[in-house]
Amino acid sequence: MTVSDTIARWRYRAVPDHLLGEILSKRWIDNVIPLLILFLVVAVFGSLIPDFFGAASVSNLMRQWGEFGLVALALMIVMVAGGIDLSVGSVFALGNIVALGLLSVAEWPVPAVVAATLACGAAVGLINGLLVGYLRLRAFLTTLVTLIIVRAVVDMLLLNYSVAIAAAFPDSDLWYYFGEGYVLGVPFSVTVTLALALVLHLVLSRSRAGWHVLAVGGSRRSAHNVGIPVRRVICLTYVVSGTLAALAGLLFASRLGGAGADTGIGLEIAALTAAVLGGNSLGGGRGSAAKAIIGSVTVMIMVNSLVRLGVTSGANSLLLGMVLLAAVAIDVRWLKNRHKFLSKVYVSPTYSELPPAPATDGASPYALNDRLRPVERIGLGRIDGPEDVILDEDDNIYVGNRTGDIVRFLAPDYERQEIFAHTGGRPLGMAFARDGSLLCCIGGMGLYRIGRDRSIEKLTDETNRSWFSVIDDSRLRLADDLDIAPDGRVFFSEATVRYEMHDWPVDCLESRGNGRIICFDPKTGSTRTVLKNLVFPNGICMTHDGQSFLFAETWACRVSRYWFDGPKKGQVEPVIADLPGYPDNINRASDGTYWLALVGIRTPSLDLALKMPGFRKRMARRIAPDEWLYPNINTGCVVRFDEAGRIVETLWDFGGENHPMITSMREHRGHLYIGGILNNRIGRLKLDEADPSWTGPASYWGRR
């Protein structure tokens, strides 16, 4: 290894370039800029205002924020669903006057006052919801009209009852507790706001109703097409908004005990500024309670601090308008360019040096030949992308296809076919369990079981999360092959934790070691990772000793052995370290050896590029993905080897006429059945020296 190669190798080992892309891909990254703005605001005004952090100052600010935070949450829930509610300031004023009137003039008990006030806010929200959700009126104009009407109602109530309200002194400790009480040292209004923010967060992130709201905000047409009641969801968001705004008005009434014509005026602008400044999208589909909380705290500190500095109300409004304009500009630009920027930094190649490729001519065990040329074609044009192929004891063939079906070709002539199961995902590796059920890795979904009665059951779609991983590696992104140990444990490979099913070739560009092998134990229902940092593991096969399995790492061009039981438990041993191509599935042969599919053949250009991560990074940033340097996957090859790594024979389809890409093969009753993820047929090749009675299920579980 040259000095430059050594430097490059250690540089990419020491500096985790991929962390930036992983951090930017997180949802919470939207909160970083709002948090930085919040810290900046606190630092500036904290230095300008004496006693800014004093107990009395903080307590007064918190009580005001408790009410304002509720209004920001009210606007947030509507914005997330793709709408807007300009009436929140008027509903706030309505809640204030209704609460004071019922308590001071009508002399209702406090619980009844609370219920009636919230009902008034919900009623205004219902009107908005019916007009916007069901009648499909424009949200901006509709809520602007509601703002005017509700404000007129508030003015009329003030004209009739303001004197009586001002002259009354309610005798209720509970009422004064709303405005002046504490819960464990925290003002009551703040406690209520934080509790409701937590509830909204759980609803939006963990409940079906919240997912519906986000889906409607993202695309109403798509939400309707999948069966979400769009109109009802929109209507309910306005009801929630009106209720929260009225609750804020009630807490305001309890704290100050008075009502005026200027109550709530301009509050909708401040709340809108807070919601957008916190990172909630005006376009809908993106937002959270946490964002509303961050934005509302920032705006409240700004407004309160400007008042304490003696800035006029006109300057206050001017500042809020400028902040809102800047927040909208940042939101629009970030939303438009985030994925463009992320695509430039997320792909993060590292240094990877493969051993020299063995020769494929002369006396080499990998010498080219045309032994796959006479392969028969089964289901030609009737199947799309059979990545794996497997046969049962009745000689029926099972393959997955691109549309999510597991197709069964019926013996003996395989002219008839049927849909054995529809998985809803991309079926990849398969294996038969002892009870005859079919276990299948489904890309993007996890590990599933298809019973003999064709029932589909999810076994697992997650594993234990790594302690120091920025990316959430608990979710299974690309489970691709599996095999079953004698005790029933299922070991399966996940090719990459960074890329989804349709982006799997990009992992080759990185060659970082994003893959792992996972164990699912059906006895306990537990799932855990047993091997990490593998370079696209894609192929697992149990050895005959029942204590270890072979696994292939595609982009590393090697096959290794892992001991999960016995005296060598936990050890990994190299079996074949220098393949001439990219290995895929591994399966047993009838004579105790193993079959290995080579999905493509190495090229000098890509081998060289793997030692040049800077070149690959520039390539990923500057040219279109369809022009990137990829492996040669146009030449099919099947290799047979023993447990010592000795190559027994090699079967080529030089020129790729029958099977240009081979991802799997199974021996069954003297024939080799071949699949390929880009093929439109299943291949069958007669093996002259193979055991004509041998089957895979019998090799694992014995004759039934």
Side-chain angles (χ1 to χ4, degrees):
M1 181 182 294
T2 64
V3 174
S4 60
D5 286 346
T6 302
I7 294 174
R9 180 180 182 182
W10 284 105
R11 175 258 183 268
Y12 283 95
R13 281 190 176 186
V15 181
D17 300 67
H18 64 292
L19 286 184
L20 176 60
E22 290 180 358
I23 291 173
L24 290 176
S25 68
K26 305 297 288 185
R27 290 185 177 181
W28 49 257
I29 197 63
D30 288 345
N31 297 336
V32 171
I33 295 178
L35 278 174
L36 291 176
I37 295 174
L38 174 58
F39 292 150
L40 178 63
V41 167
V42 171
V44 170
F45 289 111
S47 62
L48 294 176
I49 299 175
D51 198 33
F52 180 83
F53 299 103
S57 175
V58 172
S59 177
N60 180 58
L61 181 64
M62 289 177 68
R63 290 193 185 280
Q64 296 179 54
W65 172 80
E67 300 149 10
F68 178 66
L70 285 173
V71 181
L73 289 172
L75 195 54
M76 177 275 300
I77 193 69
V78 175
M79 289 174 57
V80 168
I84 194 169
D85 189 357
L86 298 179
S87 67
V88 288
S90 297
V91 176
F92 174 88
L94 179 65
N96 176 67
I97 188 65
V98 167
L100 290 173
L102 293 178
L103 184 72
S104 303
V105 180
E107 297 183 349
W108 284 24
V110 173
V113 170
V114 173
T117 303
L118 297 183
C120 286
V124 176
L126 180 61
I127 293 172
N128 283 331
L130 292 174
L131 294 175
V132 176
Y134 285 93
L135 298 184
R136 300 184 180 181
L137 301 184
R138 295 286 184 181
F140 184 89
L141 295 177
T142 301
T143 56
L144 180 61
V145 171
T146 310
L147 178 154
I148 298 171
I149 294 174
V150 174
R151 177 60 63 179
V153 172
V154 171
D155 290 342
M156 289 188 292
L157 292 174
L158 281 170
L159 184 64
N160 293 321
Y161 299 107
S162 59
V163 175
I165 290 173
F169 295 94
D171 184 17
S172 172
D173 292 336
L174 179 60
W175 175 252
Y176 291 116
Y177 181 79
F178 289 164
E180 301 175 1
Y182 291 88
V183 178
L184 300 176
V186 179
F188 177 78
S189 61
V190 175
T191 304
V192 171
T193 301
L194 292 177
L196 290 175
L198 178 61
V199 170
L200 286 175
H201 168 73
L202 294 175
V203 169
L204 289 175
S205 61
R206 297 292 188 272
S207 73
R208 186 183 300 272
W211 299 335
H212 285 180
V213 172
L214 291 168
V216 169
S219 173
R220 293 185 179 181
R221 181 180 295 276
S222 299
H224 172 75
N225 290 339
V226 298
I228 296 176
V230 174
R231 297 181 181 181
R232 185 172 68 193
V233 170
I234 295 173
C235 182
L236 289 177
T237 60
Y238 281 97
V239 173
V240 173
S241 176
T243 304
L244 291 176
L247 176 59
L250 182 143
L251 294 174
F252 180 80
S254 174
R255 180 168 62 90
L256 296 183
D262 61 344
T263 301
I265 290 182
L267 187 59
E268 58 279 340
I269 301 302
L272 180 60
T273 304
V276 177
L277 186 61
N280 296 287
S281 175
L282 283 169
R286 181 169 61 90
S288 68
K291 291 179 170 63
I293 294 297
I294 295 172
S296 61
V297 171
T298 304
V299 170
M300 180 52 59
I301 291 175
M302 291 171 57
V303 172
N304 186 274
S305 299
L306 289 172
V307 171
R308 294 176 63 179
L309 289 172
V311 179
T312 62
S313 60
N316 243 332
S317 300
L318 176 63
L319 178 63
L320 281 180
M322 294 175 62
V323 170
L324 178 59
L325 180 63
V328 170
I330 292 173
D331 175 68
V332 171
R333 299 302 297 176
W334 173 248
L335 189 64
K336 182 178 180 180
N337 296 300
R338 176 185 179 183
H339 291 290
K340 185 185 297 184
F341 176 72
L342 183 60
S343 65
K344 292 183 178 181
V345 300
Y346 191 80
V347 179
S348 179
T350 189
Y351 183 91
S352 176
E353 183 177 14
L354 298 178
T360 56
D361 57 1
S364 169
Y366 300 106
L368 298 174
N369 56 61
D370 286 324
R371 293 185 58 187
L372 291 179
R373 187 64 57 85
V375 166
E376 304 173 46
R377 302 173 184 180
I378 297 174
L380 180 63
R382 294 185 286 147
I383 189 71
D384 185 10
E387 194 275 342
D388 195 12
V389 55
I390 193 170
L391 294 92
D392 61 21
E393 284 287 273
D394 297 322
D395 303 336
N396 300 310
I397 301 174
Y398 298 76
V399 293
N401 68 9
R402 204 175 307 278
T403 60
D405 298 323
I406 295 180
V407 181
R408 177 162 64 181
F409 287 84
L410 301 177
D413 55 9
Y414 304 120
E415 291 298 322
R416 295 178 300 149
Q417 69 183 73
E418 61 180 4
I419 303 298
F420 179 68
H422 181 71
T423 65
R426 184 64 169 92
L428 298 173
M430 296 180 287
F432 278 110
R434 187 184 297 273
D435 62 359
S437 60
L438 182 63
L439 272 57
C440 181
C441 286
I442 302 178
M445 294 174 59
L447 179 65
Y448 280 72
R449 174 186 179 274
I450 299 95
R452 305 184 81 168
D453 60 354
R454 306 191 185 191
S455 60
I456 300 178
E457 174 191 2
K458 181 183 74 177
L459 298 181
T460 183
D461 61 356
E462 60 182 4
T463 183
N464 56 299
R465 181 168 181 173
S466 302
W467 284 100
F468 302 105
S469 175
V470 175
I471 195 171
D472 183 4
D473 61 355
S474 62
R475 181 176 70 88
L476 301 181
R477 292 174 179 262
L478 188 51
D480 55 1
D481 196 30
L482 75 149
D483 212 348
I484 307 173
D487 60 1
R489 282 180 292 173
V490 183
F491 291 88
F492 62 97
S493 56
E494 184 180 24
T496 174
V497 298
R498 300 197 76 210
Y499 296 98
E500 305 292 345
M501 176 69 198
H502 56 282
D503 288 328
W504 63 267
V506 184
D507 194 82
C508 174
L509 197 67
E510 285 197 352
S511 293
R512 176 170 292 278
N514 300 320
R516 56 188 173 176
I517 292 177
I518 300 166
C519 175
F520 169 74
D521 190 345
K523 296 178 181 177
T524 62
S526 62
T527 308
R528 62 182 180 87
T529 302
V530 296
L531 281 176
K532 297 194 298 184
N533 303 321
L534 303 179
V535 187
F536 210 86
N538 188 12
I540 287 184
C541 181
M542 287 292 153
T543 57
H544 298 280
D545 58 25
Q547 297 181 340
S548 62
F549 59 77
L550 303 169
F551 66 93
E553 292 177 85
T554 300
W555 310 136
C557 298
R558 63 182 176 228
V559 175
S560 304
R561 184 176 191 170
Y562 174 74
W563 297 83
F564 58 85
D565 271 335
K568 295 184 178 181
K569 183 177 180 179
Q571 295 184 24
V572 177
E573 298 177 349
V575 177
I576 307 176
D578 57 347
L579 286 163
Y582 303 99
D584 204 302
N585 286 5
I586 308 173
N587 287 300
R588 291 180 179 179
S590 58
D591 62 352
T593 58
Y594 302 89
W595 295 104
L596 170 68
L598 295 185
V599 72
I601 305 305
R602 291 167 55 178
T603 61
S605 58
L606 184 57
D607 284 2
L608 178 62
L610 289 177
K611 297 190 291 184
M612 304 167 63
F615 163 77
R616 304 199 319 273
K617 183 179 294 186
R618 291 191 297 272
M619 177 176 63
R621 290 180 177 180
R622 297 179 182 178
I623 65 176
D626 58 354
E627 297 178 357
W628 289 354
L629 192 64
Y630 282 123
N632 172 21
I633 55 175
N634 295 317
T635 303
C637 180
V638 176
V639 173
R640 187 160 65 92
F641 66 97
D642 60 21
E643 292 186 6
R646 184 178 62 88
I647 306 303
V648 178
E649 63 177 329
T650 308
L651 288 70
W652 291 88
D653 181 17
F654 190 59
E657 294 186 8
N658 274 350
H659 285 272
M661 181 185 188
I662 296 177
T663 54
S664 67
M665 71 278 104
R666 302 268 182 173
E667 183 179 336
H668 183 85
R669 300 194 192 279
H671 289 82
L672 192 65
Y673 294 81
I674 305 171
I677 197 170
L678 297 183
N679 294 339
N680 64 347
R681 84 285 316 251
I682 303 161
R684 180 170 64 174
L685 177 69
K686 181 172 175 48
L687 302 173
D688 294 330
E689 299 179 0
D691 183 353
S693 65
W694 187 91
T695 68
S699 173
Y700 278 83
W701 315 116
R703 300 288 178 181
R704 291 191 180 89

